[in-house]
Amino acid sequence: QRRVLFLRSKAVVSTQSTGDVVVATEQINTLERDLRSVLIQLQNTIQSKTAVPTNQVYPKFISLAKIWTGFQDEMVLLSVISNIQTNLEPFTKSHREVLPDTTLQPLLTGLILRSDEERINETSSLEDRVEHAPQFKHLEFLFPETTRNFTNLPLQYKGFCGFCIATQDRLLVPGNPLIGILRYKDHFFCFSSKDAAVKFAADPDRFIAHIADAAKRSPELIQLLELHMQFSTITPYGKSAEPGHMIEKPLTKRDSGVQTETHPIESNIDPTYEWNEWEM
């Protein structure tokens, strides 16, 4: 079971990496357009002049520097993604040897395999919404028709179903926001089914604690699900001093000075004492 969960987690990481690559590609295309635009402006400004006022060319050079920094950031991001995929490949190969198709096929007999997209489409009807569960009137569930910027809400656990993570041994199942997004203590939770939403809403604190315990057993979930707020000693990847590494926050230190008293104990004062290196 753990090997299957690993393959599921790897698939999630690969999907997110693919999304990051797509975003990086769009950003690089934007930077290329900006670079061409600035170079054209710089050429029109300089032309064949032997001297150009600094207030005309310096802003262009500053823009070029920012664009170049943007290219470097995207290069670092792509390098990190490439390293992640390279490091995962040996594990994938070993799991493929342990769970070959000849072993998996008998286990799948009689089962209907569905993709994440198919599961989401099957739970997108009005009957699957939590608004038809009157026992949770004291909790707030958000829906696209009644919530502004519904698609931009910062979902907990990167949009994965918290109930499945807590009850199915850290299984990562994408949630369906159309079922209803639970707003609890200024956090937004998404679920894979109405039943999962109802059970999670019955005792959110218990399930949140279970997920934190699961992340302690599988530390990779801290980065993957962005659980840094629950682990205050961990610095998020984007804020770490060394890209690609999760580091512990350093202990707060400060310099201080203490003036030592000349005679801390008055009873030891010798009135006849004197010191002279020439008399030694």
Side-chain angles (χ1 to χ4, degrees), residues 31-271:
L31 291 172
E32 288 180 346
R33 290 193 296 268
D34 294 342
L35 177 61
R36 285 193 294 267
S37 176
V38 173
L39 289 177
I40 292 174
Q41 295 177 17
L42 189 60
Q43 182 181 13
N44 294 336
T45 301
I46 298 176
Q47 293 181 355
S48 59
K49 301 176 182 177
T50 57
V52 181
T54 57
N55 60 354
Q56 295 183 15
V57 294
Y58 273 17
K60 305 295 188 300
F61 289 138
I62 293 175
S63 299
L64 287 175
K66 292 180 179 179
I67 293 173
W68 181 253
T69 302
F71 277 121
Q72 288 182 320
D73 292 340
E74 299 305 320
M75 181 179 65
V76 171
L77 173 60
L78 294 176
S79 176
V80 169
I81 294 175
S82 177
N83 290 336
I84 291 175
Q85 297 298 329
T86 301
N87 293 331
L88 285 176
E89 187 58 32
F91 296 97
T92 304
K93 183 178 179 180
S94 63
H95 281 76
R96 194 179 296 119
E97 294 174 352
V98 174
L99 294 174
D101 293 339
T102 55
T103 303
L104 292 176
Q105 287 301 330
L107 301 176
L108 300 177
T109 304
L111 299 178
I112 300 176
L113 298 181
R114 294 174 297 173
S115 65
D116 293 334
E117 292 75 12
E118 290 174 341
R119 279 194 293 268
I120 290 176
N121 291 334
E122 292 175 0
T123 57
S124 297
S125 63
L126 295 177
E127 290 75 13
D128 294 312
R129 292 192 172 187
V130 191
E131 61 184 350
H132 295 291
Q135 65 269 36
F136 297 116
K137 290 184 178 180
H138 62 287
L139 295 176
E140 183 181 8
F141 280 92
L142 308 178
F143 301 96
E145 298 84 4
T146 58
T147 306
R148 297 181 59 184
N149 299 323
F150 181 81
T151 57
N152 296 326
L153 292 176
L155 299 178
Q156 287 291 105
Y157 314 129
K158 297 288 288 186
F160 292 106
C161 178
F163 179 80
C164 293
I165 299 173
T167 61
Q168 299 185 29
D169 196 14
R170 295 156 286 174
L171 180 62
L172 302 178
V173 179
N176 183 3
L178 297 180
I179 294 174
I181 295 178
L182 172 64
R183 181 175 182 177
Y184 182 73
K185 295 183 179 179
D186 293 329
H187 296 295
F188 303 94
F189 300 89
C190 189
F191 306 98
S192 59
S193 66
K194 179 179 178 180
D195 182 63
V198 171
K199 292 180 178 179
F200 188 96
D203 192 358
D205 291 326
R206 180 169 65 91
F207 288 103
I208 293 173
H210 284 335
I211 295 173
D213 292 337
K216 293 177 183 178
R217 298 194 302 272
S218 299
E220 67 274 8
L221 294 179
I222 299 177
Q223 290 284 64
L224 184 61
L225 304 181
E226 297 184 353
L227 300 176
H228 310 100
M229 295 301 295
Q230 299 185 37
F231 299 91
S232 59
T233 59
I234 298 298
T235 300
Y237 165 78
K239 298 181 181 179
S240 62
E242 185 177 358
H245 291 76
M246 182 174 62
I247 62 175
E248 294 186 359
K249 290 183 178 179
L251 298 176
T252 303
K253 299 180 180 180
R254 64 184 180 89
D255 295 329
S256 61
V258 177
Q259 176 63 47
T260 304
E261 296 183 14
T262 305
H263 300 286
I265 304 178
E266 296 183 359
S267 59
N268 292 340
I269 298 177
D270 184 0

